[in-house]
Amino acid sequence: MSVSLHVVDITIPEGTNIIIGRSHFIKTVEDIYEVLVTSVPGIRFGLAFNEASGKRLVRYEGNDEELTRAAIDAALKIGAGHTFVLFIRNAYPINVLNQLKNIQEVVSLYVATGNPVQVIVGETNQGRVILGVVDGYPPLGVESEEDKKERRDFLRKIGYKK
């Protein structure tokens, strides 16, 4: 038996954040849909979930056609069973992560970001698995006092700190 590795570049639509996770049941798409629409008024999203048995379809939901299509495309490119891809707009991952983690069938989350994403996929004769995710780029240095001030000011500007 052998394992091959693939790097899957994910195209993230403008102004969008992505959340990629692992779940174990087809009701995932409905449960995530309910969490999103009840957590953040005005959230726009697209969700795709790869079944790992039975019909092995990409199940999907969403309230934004562009984001739903992007989620389906990304899920197909990743190709790993029991994986979900969620694109959100008009909200940040921080607004929904705890609710997603509390969904009974959600096993884990790989990434939640607005940065460029690459998914490292392993493939065997049985199927594919996500081995890890590259989120953004490596650091270029350590923040200065001015950088600290910018960070603190930004968090207050967007209302996340008082």
Side-chain angles (χ1 to χ4, degrees):
M1 179 180 341
S2 65
V3 176
S4 60
L5 297 178
H6 308 277
V7 176
V8 178
D9 290 306
I10 302 298
T11 302
I12 300 177
E14 184 71 32
T16 301
N17 281 270
I18 186 173
I19 300 170
I20 300 174
R22 185 163 181 82
S23 188
H24 77 92
F25 195 41
I26 63 172
K27 78 184 198 73
T28 297
V29 290
E30 292 181 38
D31 290 351
I32 291 176
Y33 183 97
E34 290 171 357
V35 159
L36 296 173
V37 298
T38 61
S39 295
V40 181
I43 191 171
R44 305 298 298 167
F45 65 93
L47 167 67
F49 170 74
N50 292 340
E51 282 184 307
S53 60
K55 290 185 173 184
R56 295 186 353 226
L57 300 173
V58 176
R59 304 292 181 160
Y60 67 94
E61 291 289 346
N63 63 8
D64 184 293
E65 189 174 327
E66 174 197 10
L67 300 183
T68 302
R69 172 58 32 210
I72 291 168
D73 291 345
L76 285 167
K77 283 172 67 174
I78 294 167
H82 284 161
T83 296
F84 68 86
V85 177
L86 171 62
F87 287 107
I88 61 173
R89 197 178 268 149
N90 299 339
Y92 295 106
I94 195 172
N95 303 134
V96 297
L97 285 177
N98 283 337
Q99 294 89 323
L100 291 173
K101 292 175 194 174
N102 284 322
I103 295 173
Q104 292 172 313
E105 64 271 17
V106 170
V107 176
S108 62
L109 300 177
Y110 295 106
V111 69
T113 189
N115 294 326
V117 168
Q118 293 177 317
V119 180
I120 311 302
V121 174
E123 185 170 7
T124 70
N125 62 340
Q126 180 177 318
R128 292 178 137 206
V129 63
I130 293 177
L131 299 175
V133 176
V134 179
D135 178 355
Y137 306 101
L140 297 174
V142 177
E143 72 178 346
S144 67
E145 289 303 315
E146 180 59 31
D147 295 322
K148 283 185 180 182
K149 181 181 179 329
E150 286 177 17
R151 171 175 42 91
R152 292 175 180 144
D153 290 347
F154 172 73
L155 292 173
R156 281 149 186 83
K157 177 183 174 187
I158 64 172
Y160 279 33
K161 294 288 184 178
K162 188 171 179 180

